[in-house]
Amino acid sequence: MTIELLRFTTAGSVDDGKSTLIGRMLYDTKSLFEDQIEQIEAVSAKRGDEYVDLALFTDGLRAEREQKITIDVAYRYFATPRRKFIIADTPGHIQYTRNMVTGASTAELAIVLIDARKGVLTQSKRHGFIATLLQIPHIVVAINKMDLVDYDEDTYRAIVSDYRDFVSKLNAKNVTYIPVSALVGDNVVDPSQNTPWYEGPTLLHHLENVNVGASRNYTDFRFPVQYVLRPNQNFRGYAGQLASGRVRPGDEVVVFPSGLESTIKEVVTANGNLEEAIAGDSVVLTLNDEIDISRGDMIVRTGNLPQKSNELDATICWMGEDPFDPSKTYQLQHTTRVVRAMVTELTYRIDVDTMHRTPAEVLKLNEIGRVQLTTTQPLFYDRYNTNRASGSFVLIDPATNNTVAAGMIRGESRDVDDLMEGETKADDTATRRERSENVVWEAGALDLAERERLNGHKGAVLWFTGLSGSGKSTIAKLLERRLYERKIHTMFLDGDNLRHGLNGDLGFAPEDRVENIRRVSEVASLGYAHGNVVLCSFISPYQRDRNFARSIVPDGNFFEIFAKCDLEVLKRRDPKGLYAKALSGEIKNFTGISAPYEAPEQPELVIETDVATPEQLVDQLIEMLETAGII
Amino acid sequence: MKSYLQSHLKQLESEAIYVMREVAAQFENPVLLFSGGKDSIVMAHLAYKAFYPAKIPYPLLHVDTGHNFDETIAFRDKYVEKIDAKLIVRYVQNSIDNGTAVEETGPYASRNGLQTITLLEALNEFKFEAALGGARRDEEKARSKERFFSHRDAFGQWDPKNQRPELWNIYNGQKKPKESFRVFPISNWTELDVWMYVQQEGIELPNLYFSHQRDVIKRDGVLLAASDVVYPVGDETIETMTVRFRTIGDMTCTGAVESPAATIEDIVDEVASARVTERGARADDQRSEAAMEDRKKQGYF
């Protein structure tokens, strides 16, 4: 039987019993050795402890053993017949956010400890926030010291309820709650007789059965070249580890930054050539063409490209002793590539305890913020939340060579005004929102909240994007009918309609398309401000235009919906005969044929119009709106 | 749906190979420390795989205390020839002769501590910027916080308070002149992982690891092999026992365990159910409770 590997992180404060919990897991799974146990017994006795302090198994360095606190990330190992576990044991107190981020960066599961006597504290939230920020796919909330609250079910339920309220704001996915006592051993390895009201798994059972590999991306092939092997004139191989995706001989690939194309010749390992390599494999690739490739280059599949930019929007955790210095140039290490980078703007700081965003001039040790970066050479990246491996980086201070920040890429750089609440200005030069001079915004007599109260639902903008004929308008109209039946106020904006009036002066050249979308976005925003659910159906091929539409509606009220349909299906369907004309050249600048279409990077919903029926898709949309609390 | 789960050994191997390649790419002059013990043999095996079909782009360095088992040295030379690697050997005896190291005297004398001196001298002599070692975090508590890329100051010293955070698999090997790194590609392996990997890969090991008859002396609960440098003191006696070694280091401090395990399969079973850590059989760690931490600050692995 294959033994699987699960890396998890633990966070909790000095008193939550985190070290004891780990000690308990090691002890109960018989992962400790007699000499280790004897050593700990001796130390405990010397210190005058009444019982053998299980926490001593994990408190590594002498300094912290003396101070009785863990001060750095320590790695622990234990195994059961099913799985090997690597624990990144991180301290929980405020000054060590950096350690928590470090431990979380490689983890697939986080255990957040809560002291049952104290309930949900600020730091329990901080741990959840960091776990979510680092995209750890599984969170376990271990409610510890149940023995000290007499295994009271209500106490447990109240804490679960409090924490649920909190994580609902976070976008956290799989959260599991387990009542335990690390000291006594309840529900850690063995089910407890003391919690008959609890029917869930023990902690170890959960760790042994939770889905692993969930944080890996097996779709997008990204191969950062680590090292070039050239043992002789006949062999030129590129050594590296697949950051994500899969690769097989014969695959068509493109190499960045050169942009040169080739095909995979072999996937070489010392154990023989492979039929396929997958995310996480360390292999050597050879290509069928002689291309100049060196360390730091990235090999990807043709047709599935990473983002490319030298202006990045990112969340960083500052880890340096010296605060971030805006006048300084840092080294940025991303996959196997190192470039120089300037932090051009500190957009805001996130208070890890309240999650509030505040404007800031500086980021200090253990602080997290959103920044805009400019690099000397473009990076080839994916967003962190779609690809941890190609969306992460560190900043290095060239003066000390220390790693001073951990970064997670959100996307291409945006302007601060675009991101701060209350401000509504887009960065793109193409769709800059300009204000006429001497015009002051007239505050409406009624505000949005009043309108929403009257309507009984919230306002929203649903932006349907997709190729011509992909079913955007069909679905949007069906949806509008369903919403009407539920007495929901709607507005429907569609490309063809608006081009007859408001946008009658615009053609299909790129700049006209941009202006078209700018006007539509403004109209949608007005409709939203009046409490409507605005349905917009536009091909809108450029991401930046859709980003603009998004930027003028508050977060959580804008839904980008990608009507996805195979191009070949569209060409066959071609209800208006447009594809035929485009293919024959009769229509110029036709999206998908002779003009580009940028598929949404992060749509709220993808509706596959060539797979599901319109009714099914409308059901999905209704569910999305209900989940988001709009209707 | 197709499962993409990889076994834990495959993931550990891939991680180690990744780290070994990072070292080759980030440093101009690295070296792989090789003692002839199982961990360093596994390291050499991984290095061979990391750069296949090319040769390992760095040399192997062995710090010989002069108190090694003959089997270790014979195995070392044969193995290095087999994988076509370059081997450098430096001797603790030379450091003693040059007066840079002072030999302990008496029946309990060990050259283990002196290895650090010879190692630092060798790193200095060849101006190695990074030394790859086979240390693992599960071996001892002080190692549990060790980084993959462990920074050492210009004197080869480790400062536990001043280690760089390591995030994801991004390793920062930037340094000032004269500073160096110790790099531990198999940090995340346990003793059992090493043995399972040896089994999986069919890696050859010195016979010392397998059960055999040997004359031993029991000292402070540790079975030491009787030899010119380890002899009975007081009421100690030499006994012939069926033993094997779980680690192979300097004869003066590497203890054997009583064991009938004669094959890799036996050993994997034995290690899986072992009740004493492998370092528990090393006399050098028992000198004080924080022994490892002290030695590490001085530049020991």
Side-chain angles (χ1 to χ4, degrees):
Chain A
M1 186 174 141
T2 304
I3 300 176
E4 298 161 358
L5 180 64
L6 176 69
R7 296 171 197 251
F8 67 93
T9 178
T10 53
S13 76
V14 186
D15 305 320
D16 289 340
K18 175 174 57 74
S19 296
T20 308
L21 180 71
I22 296 171
R24 169 62 61 189
M25 280 193 275
L26 300 181
Y27 190 80
D28 282 4
T29 55
K30 304 199 168 31
S31 307
L32 293 169
F33 296 105
E34 279 163 10
D35 54 328
Q36 288 176 315
I37 296 172
E38 280 165 19
Q39 197 190 10
I40 296 304
E41 281 172 349
V43 175
S44 270
K46 198 165 101 191
R47 251 185 10 198
D49 294 339
E50 283 171 28
Y51 51 89
V52 177
D53 187 353
L54 289 174
L56 286 172
F57 292 123
T58 61
D59 286 348
L61 301 190
R62 183 195 283 175
E64 55 186 48
R65 232 180 300 157
E66 280 160 9
Q67 294 165 24
K68 291 200 185 178
I69 47 163
T70 17
I71 52 174
D72 201 346
V73 186
Y75 294 87
R76 320 282 171 203
Y77 305 86
F78 73 101
T80 65
R82 289 182 66 112
R83 280 194 179 163
K84 171 190 165 98
F85 299 96
I86 301 179
I87 313 175
D89 179 15
T90 68
H93 25 292
I94 179 75
Q95 59 269 48
Y96 295 112
T97 298
R98 104 174 184 166
N99 293 328
M100 250 185 288
V101 170
T102 303
S105 71
T106 52
E108 285 200 81
L109 178 145
I111 299 179
V112 175
L113 262 124
I114 295 180
D115 184 332
R117 295 170 305 171
K118 296 180 187 159
V120 178
L121 300 179
T122 304
Q123 62 159 1
S124 333
K125 296 183 181 174
R126 185 195 314 148
H127 301 153
F129 169 67
I130 290 175
T132 314
L133 183 70
L134 273 285
Q135 295 281 319
I136 298 181
H138 307 281
I139 296 178
V140 176
V141 180
I143 296 154
N144 192 22
K145 307 202 181 179
M146 287 303 294
D147 53 318
L148 298 181
V149 295
D150 298 326
Y151 303 99
D152 180 44
E153 181 177 4
D154 291 341
T155 306
Y156 168 75
R157 298 255 167 253
I159 293 172
V160 169
S161 164
D162 281 357
Y163 208 76
R164 266 210 186 114
D165 279 353
F166 164 71
V167 290
S168 67
K169 296 175 207 145
L170 278 183
N171 225 356
K173 285 154 214 153
N174 309 292
V175 187
T176 305
Y177 301 85
I178 305 177
V180 301
S181 164
L183 191 72
V184 187
D186 297 286
N187 294 326
V188 177
V189 171
D190 301 313
S192 170
Q193 304 300 315
N194 297 317
T195 53
W197 41 265
Y198 173 73
E199 290 175 344
T202 63
L203 180 57
L204 185 70
H205 185 270
H206 184 68
L207 294 175
E208 279 194 308
N209 289 283
V210 72
N211 175 25
V212 296
S215 67
R216 280 238 164 99
N217 172 328
Y218 293 107
T219 312
D220 309 310
F221 171 61
R222 307 284 183 258
F223 189 82
V225 175
Q226 259 191 300
Y227 193 74
V228 180
L229 296 175
R230 195 102 213 244
N232 57 56
Q233 288 303 307
N234 304 322
F235 188 92
R236 191 180 176 89
Y238 307 102
Q241 186 175 34
L242 273 79
S244 57
R246 289 168 276 164
V247 67
R248 289 168 159 270
D251 282 353
E252 293 180 6
V253 294
V254 51
V255 182
F256 286 113
S258 70
L260 295 171
E261 297 184 11
S262 184
T263 50
I264 300 286
K265 185 176 171 198
E266 297 159 311
V267 180
V268 179
T269 76
N271 296 77
N273 292 354
L274 303 180
E275 282 292 304
E276 180 178 67
I278 62 167
D281 288 350
S282 285
V283 295
V284 175
L285 300 181
T286 59
L287 302 181
N288 283 315
D289 302 276
E290 286 227 0
I291 302 181
D292 187 25
I293 299 176
S294 46
R295 174 176 166 85
D297 290 1
M298 188 184 271
I299 303 176
V300 303
R301 197 191 308 275
T302 313
N304 181 340
L305 307 184
Q307 307 290 314
K308 173 194 170 189
S309 179
N310 64 348
E311 297 198 329
L312 301 171
D313 176 14
T315 305
I316 63 173
C317 173
W318 198 257
M319 302 187 154
E321 295 290 337
D322 300 327
F324 135 73
D325 181 349
S327 68
K328 214 165 182 170
T329 305
Y330 293 94
Q331 306 255 35
L332 185 152
Q333 191 170 347
H334 168 254
T335 67
T336 56
R337 191 173 166 89
V338 179
V339 299
R340 283 186 301 145
M342 285 278 283
V343 177
T344 50
E345 186 175 279
L346 177 53
T347 314
Y348 52 73
R349 180 168 59 216
I350 306 167
D351 182 323
V352 292
D353 294 333
T354 61
M355 283 165 297
H356 287 158
R357 303 162 173 190
T358 46
E361 295 297 315
V362 76
L363 271 188
K364 295 192 296 249
L365 178 63
N366 293 310
E367 290 185 336
I368 293 174
R370 186 164 176 185
V371 298
Q372 310 301 315
L373 292 153
T374 302
T375 56
T376 46
Q377 288 142 40
L379 292 186
F380 303 92
Y381 66 91
D382 296 280
R383 289 158 185 264
Y384 185 76
N385 61 7
T386 58
N387 198 331
R388 277 172 111 178
S390 60
S392 53
F393 64 86
V394 301
L395 294 181
I396 297 163
D397 184 336
T400 61
N401 292 319
N402 279 332
T403 302
V404 290
M408 289 147 281
I409 302 173
R410 302 173 62 110
E412 202 168 334
S413 199
R414 301 172 78 185
D415 188 6
V416 61
D417 293 344
D418 188 23
L419 301 166
M420 288 302 287
E421 258 176 88
E423 283 287 343
T424 49
K425 199 173 125 207
D427 162 51
D428 297 333
T429 44
T431 42
R432 186 175 289 282
R433 196 180 195 195
E434 289 174 60
R435 279 170 233 175
S436 308
E437 282 177 47
N438 304 321
V439 175
V440 179
W441 180 259
E442 185 67 38
L446 289 173
D447 70 15
L448 177 60
E450 288 172 298
R451 294 180 198 277
E452 289 181 340
R453 255 198 314 280
L454 178 70
N455 291 348
H457 62 82
K458 290 192 176 154
V461 173
L462 275 65
W463 191 280
F464 292 80
T465 172
L467 296 172
S468 175
S470 60
K472 299 179 297 295
S473 294
T474 310
I475 304 294
K477 283 178 200 161
L478 255 172
L479 174 66
E480 190 180 30
R481 175 60 60 186
R482 287 273 288 277
L483 294 173
Y484 168 80
E485 286 162 5
R486 290 176 60 164
K487 298 192 169 40
I488 287 161
H489 298 247
T490 58
M491 230 175 119
F492 182 67
L493 304 175
D494 153 287
D496 292 348
N497 298 351
L498 286 180
R499 281 183 180 277
H500 284 112
L502 180 64
N503 293 342
D505 57 331
L506 301 175
F508 289 89
E511 59 274 18
D512 282 0
R513 286 177 187 268
V514 168
E515 176 59 13
N516 179 35
I517 297 302
R518 189 192 70 80
R519 293 182 193 177
V520 172
S521 303
E522 294 288 359
V523 173
S525 172
L526 280 171
Y528 160 76
H530 284 79
N532 297 293
V533 173
V534 185
L535 310 177
C536 308
S537 171
F538 296 91
I539 295 172
S540 49
Y542 306 118
Q543 185 68 49
R544 55 165 48 183
D545 293 347
R546 300 190 300 261
N547 286 347
F548 173 76
R550 180 187 291 273
S551 74
I552 56 175
V553 175
D555 270 0
N557 296 80
F558 185 89
F559 301 85
E560 189 174 352
I561 294 145
F562 178 27
K564 195 174 170 190
C565 187
D566 192 273
L567 186 60
E568 297 309 311
V569 174
L570 291 174
K571 285 184 200 164
R572 273 204 311 278
R573 266 193 214 159
D574 201 10
K576 299 179 195 165
L578 295 173
Y579 282 91
K581 287 184 187 168
L583 287 166
S584 70
E586 199 180 319
I587 303 178
K588 303 258 184 270
N589 292 331
F590 191 81
T591 303
I593 304 295
S594 44
Y597 177 78
E598 298 170 4
E601 291 158 5
Q602 267 191 301
E604 271 72 13
L605 190 68
V606 178
I607 51 174
E608 296 186 70
T609 56
D610 52 351
V611 176
T613 66
E615 286 72 23
Q616 287 169 330
L617 298 173
V618 170
D619 286 344
Q620 282 180 29
L621 286 157
I622 295 277
E623 196 190 321
M624 175 191 78
L625 291 173
E626 285 174 345
T627 308
I630 302 295
I631 59 173
Chain B
M1 197 182 131
K2 191 174 168 187
S3 169
Y4 292 116
L5 275 180
Q6 292 154 303
S7 75
H8 78 296
L9 288 180
K10 191 168 178 204
Q11 289 186 56
L12 292 172
E13 178 192 64
S14 179
E15 176 180 78
I17 287 176
Y18 178 83
V19 171
M20 290 192 160
R21 288 170 173 172
E22 278 303 286
V23 170
Q26 291 197 33
F27 300 98
E28 281 182 16
N29 191 18
V31 65
L32 192 148
L33 301 183
F34 187 82
S35 69
K38 69 172 191 311
D39 293 339
S40 69
I41 293 170
V42 164
M43 285 278 290
H45 180 82
L46 289 164
Y48 168 79
K49 291 184 86 166
F51 301 102
Y52 176 87
K55 280 198 234 175
I56 302 174
Y58 25 76
L60 276 47
L61 170 66
H62 183 211
V63 174
D64 188 340
T65 62
H67 292 171
N68 279 297
F69 295 96
D70 294 342
E71 295 95 320
T72 312
I73 302 299
F75 185 91
R76 176 196 76 189
D77 293 341
K78 202 177 87 190
Y79 185 75
V80 166
E81 197 183 311
K82 186 175 136 194
I83 60 168
D84 197 12
K86 186 186 169 204
L87 175 73
I88 298 168
V89 183
R90 283 297 175 269
Y91 299 92
V92 170
Q93 188 61 49
N94 285 356
S95 302
I96 294 170
D97 295 346
N98 295 335
T100 49
V102 179
E103 179 135 44
E104 294 179 10
T105 54
Y108 305 113
S110 169
R111 287 183 168 182
N112 206 45
L114 306 184
Q115 281 183 88
T116 308
I117 295 167
T118 311
L119 171 64
L120 291 177
E121 284 173 358
L123 297 181
N124 211 16
E125 176 188 349
F126 292 96
K127 304 204 164 21
F128 289 126
E129 305 170 285
L132 289 141
R136 311 188 314 266
R137 287 173 179 152
D138 81 318
E139 283 178 76
E140 215 276 344
K141 271 199 286 195
R143 284 185 176 161
S144 71
K145 311 203 164 181
E146 186 56 281
R147 307 296 197 264
F148 275 85
F149 273 46
S150 180
H151 181 256
R152 301 297 153 109
D153 65 17
F155 305 100
Q157 295 189 85
W158 179 74
D159 177 1
K161 298 266 187 200
N162 191 25
Q163 291 295 312
R164 300 171 182 178
E166 276 180 351
L167 295 122
W168 300 287
N169 64 349
I170 305 176
Y171 300 106
N172 169 7
Q174 304 206 21
K175 63 176 195 62
K176 292 181 180 151
K178 298 205 173 165
E179 292 177 347
S180 63
F181 277 85
R182 303 293 163 81
V183 181
F184 306 110
I186 61 170
S187 284
N188 278 332
W189 299 42
T190 61
E191 187 188 11
L192 183 59
D193 295 329
V194 171
W195 283 112
M196 288 173 79
Y197 187 71
V198 166
Q199 182 180 18
Q200 174 188 293
E201 298 286 299
I203 297 171
E204 233 183 292
L205 291 181
N207 291 328
L208 294 164
Y209 283 107
F210 302 95
S211 182
H212 57 282
Q213 299 277 312
R214 184 172 288 269
D215 290 345
V216 293
I217 297 164
K218 199 172 205 169
R219 182 175 291 167
D220 300 332
V222 177
L223 300 177
L224 296 174
S227 68
D228 293 348
V229 289
V230 182
Y231 45 85
V233 182
D235 55 2
E236 290 174 350
T237 54
I238 293 178
E239 288 176 71
T240 306
M241 294 172 79
T242 304
V243 298
R244 67 177 195 86
F245 291 87
R246 287 175 75 182
T247 66
I248 295 180
D250 190 281
M251 279 195 285
T252 58
C253 65
T254 307
V257 289
E258 279 196 271
S259 166
T263 65
I264 288 284
E265 290 73 22
D266 294 344
I267 293 176
V268 168
D269 288 345
E270 188 180 285
V271 172
S273 58
R275 301 300 304 142
V276 178
T277 60
E278 54 186 334
R279 295 203 75 86
R282 289 184 79 130
D284 52 331
D285 281 342
Q286 300 192 342
R287 289 186 173 189
S288 90
E289 209 230 317
M292 173 69 91
E293 199 178 322
D294 290 338
R295 267 180 299 139
K296 201 161 154 177
K297 282 185 181 167
Q298 293 159 16
Y300 182 87
F301 270 79

